[in-house]
Amino acid sequence: MELEVRHLRALCAIADTGSLHKAARRLGVSQPSLTTQLRRIEHALGAELFTRERTGCRPTPVGRTVLSRARPLVAEMNALVAEAKASAARAGGPRLRIGSTASRALPGWLGRLRRRLPGTDISLHMDVSANALLRMVAAGQLDVAFVHEVEGCPLTLPEGLSVRVLVEREPQFVSMARDHPAAAAPVVELADLAEDRWIVDPTVDGEWDGLRRVLGAAGLDPPVLHGDYHTAAALIAVGEAVAPCQPTSGPRDDMVIRPLRGDPLAVRLLLFSPPGSRELYATVYADLEAAYRDVASGAAAYRQWLVRHKSPLLSAPAA
């Protein structure tokens, strides 16, 4: 078997995430498929590249040598593709490539941009990994990335990116079944959830580490489930788990959203871009800010929180 760029990308993904499961999610393949591919690569090279441990995968000395050569090759290939696409985009008309982690502000943001920039080809790339989106901006594959940074778990920032802070500290609320005993209170004590199973998606950068830090600081050690948030919603609705959630989350008949006392869980909301084109990025940021303000004001529990904290989000921006 001859090594190809896709094989090198797979090795880099495994090293970056430290996990075959997380790497498979990033690459959009199944874990068994990635495991088989890794075995074939190791067989072709005649050496084990990663040690499999209970906590994940670590490069062997040979693996580190291979990765030191693979990373620049992958970066060069990414740059080649990005430059070719950029050239094609310039030839075909204006284009705006947006990356984002999950946010209810996205529909309003995209709608504003389409009205403001008619004739511009606006595309959206979603990813659970903020760090992956930042690497895409740095490689020229995205023009902007709207991401969240979990408090206490700083993102890995590529050099040269510009950043604007949309929200310095957005509290994370908790979602629970409508008949949960704690749901009767307008603000929930973390201790009232000590006996509940918490569910988090470990592929979301910082999510599990941030929750573990907060629970540990409160002296709590509840059972934790790892799963995606589509599965989480079904489990929460029937009372099998609770989960942190964005305060802008919409209401549902089968679950409620409540703030936590003292707001122990929080994120920063950030917009990243490469240097240059300040006027365009100022426009992109202004439309994002307006869209976020709309969804924040429309979420009853979050709006009450914003009023209590005298948030500037409730004030209209200057004309």
Side-chain angles (χ1 to χ4, degrees):
M1 182 188 81
E2 292 188 1
L3 285 185
E4 302 173 13
V5 174
R6 64 188 178 93
H7 298 138
L8 302 184
R9 285 200 176 98
L11 296 179
C12 292
I14 296 169
D16 290 343
T17 61
S19 159
L20 282 167
H21 172 70
K22 292 180 182 179
R25 287 285 297 271
R26 175 187 291 186
L27 295 168
V29 300
S30 68
Q31 183 173 334
S33 174
L34 181 59
T35 300
T36 299
Q37 186 178 68
L38 176 58
R39 287 173 180 157
R40 288 175 178 170
I41 295 170
E42 291 179 325
H43 179 74
L45 295 177
E48 186 179 48
L49 302 181
F50 293 91
T51 57
R52 284 68 155 179
E53 303 173 352
R54 184 179 59 83
T55 55
C57 295
R58 295 181 181 276
T60 63
V62 175
R64 287 194 292 271
T65 300
V66 171
L67 285 165
S68 70
R69 295 296 189 95
R71 290 188 190 280
L73 291 173
V74 170
E76 283 297 319
M77 181 57 72
N78 289 342
L80 183 154
V81 172
E83 289 171 10
K85 288 183 176 180
S87 297
R90 285 193 293 271
R95 187 179 184 188
L96 179 61
R97 299 163 300 169
I98 294 172
S100 181
T101 50
S103 171
R104 291 190 70 229
L106 281 177
W109 185 28
L110 292 173
R112 282 178 167 80
L113 287 171
R114 294 190 193 285
R115 291 190 294 272
R116 186 189 292 269
L117 303 171
T120 299
D121 179 13
I122 300 175
S123 62
L124 175 65
H125 178 86
M126 299 289 297
D127 200 305
V128 296
S129 171
N131 284 310
L133 292 171
L134 298 189
R135 288 192 294 270
M136 292 181 71
V137 175
Q141 297 170 296
L142 292 173
D143 298 307
V144 294
F146 174 44
V147 302
H148 68 275
E149 178 182 64
V150 177
E151 191 169 73
C153 305
L155 297 173
T156 302
L157 304 183
E159 292 184 8
L161 296 190
S162 299
V163 60
R164 294 192 68 170
V165 179
L166 177 67
V167 178
E168 182 61 43
R169 192 172 195 270
E170 181 194 70
Q172 298 299 278
F173 289 1
V174 63
S175 56
M176 65 190 76
R178 186 164 290 278
D179 60 356
H180 192 290
V187 179
V188 174
E189 302 285 346
L190 195 59
D192 291 340
L193 307 175
E195 302 303 318
D196 287 281
R197 281 182 293 270
W198 288 75
I199 185 166
V200 294
D201 187 341
T203 64
V204 179
D205 293 333
E207 196 99 333
W208 165 226
D209 290 334
L211 177 61
R212 180 170 53 185
R213 178 180 61 84
V214 167
L215 292 174
L220 303 178
D221 187 25
V224 175
L225 301 174
H226 289 171
D228 65 88
Y229 285 118
H230 294 293
T231 303
L235 292 175
I236 293 165
V238 297
E240 288 294 326
V242 299
C245 66
Q246 298 177 14
T248 53
S249 299
R252 287 179 46 150
D253 292 337
D254 52 3
M255 68 175 66
V256 298
I257 307 298
R258 294 287 184 265
L260 289 166
R261 179 79 64 191
D263 307 312
L265 288 167
V267 302
R268 278 204 309 167
L269 301 183
L270 308 166
L271 182 70
F272 286 90
S273 63
S277 303
R278 290 185 179 181
E279 184 176 347
L280 172 62
Y281 295 127
T283 296
V284 169
Y285 177 86
D287 283 344
L288 173 59
E289 184 180 41
Y292 183 84
R293 182 181 290 108
D294 284 349
V295 297
S297 298
Y302 191 26
R303 181 177 177 82
Q304 292 171 7
W305 186 94
L306 294 170
V307 169
R308 288 197 306 272
H309 290 79
K310 299 180 172 60
S311 170
L313 281 172
L314 296 177
S315 304

